[in-house]
Amino acid sequence: QVQLVESGGGLVQAGGSLRLSCAASGGIFSMNTMGWYRQGPGKQRELVAAIALGGTTNYVDSVKGRFTISRDNAKNTVYLQMNSLKPEDTAVYYCNKVPYVEKYWRQGTQVTVSS
């Protein structure tokens, strides 16, 4: 059974940093591109960053140069380093494979950026 456990969110002032972690089990990690998604208040969920098995990364334009996605294949964990945070980054952040599988969504981790 696939399990995804997100952690690392919190409340931070604009300009601050957070590092999110997603521990995966159940076979989802080793064969897939993994991604971080987010859903802000009143917004649709969007893919923020993705990382392929070989390490190739992609980012949505709004976070390029500020966020860095990485993965530790030995630990089945994907990370999202978020720097220079802005209030518009406020959202619940989720991890899932890319493309996502609906039944793999979990509770996510809340990131709140105050101005």
Side-chain angles (χ1 to χ4, degrees), residues 6-11 17-21 36 82 109-111:
E6 302 102 340
S7 62
L11 173 63
S17 298
L18 285 172
R19 188 192 193 207
L20 307 184
S21 299
W36 281 98
M82 305 186 295
T109 186
Q110 175 71 47
V111 172

Side-chain angles (χ1 to χ4, degrees), residues 4 6 22 28 33-37 45 94-105:
L4 296 166
E6 302 102 340
C22 173
I28 187 175
T33 294
M34 297 297 296
W36 281 98
Y37 301 75
R45 193 172 297 177
Y94 306 86
C95 66
N96 204 322
K97 63 183 291 289
V98 180
Y100 67 82
V101 174
E102 189 67 36
K103 64 180 180 179
Y104 293 163
W105 295 121

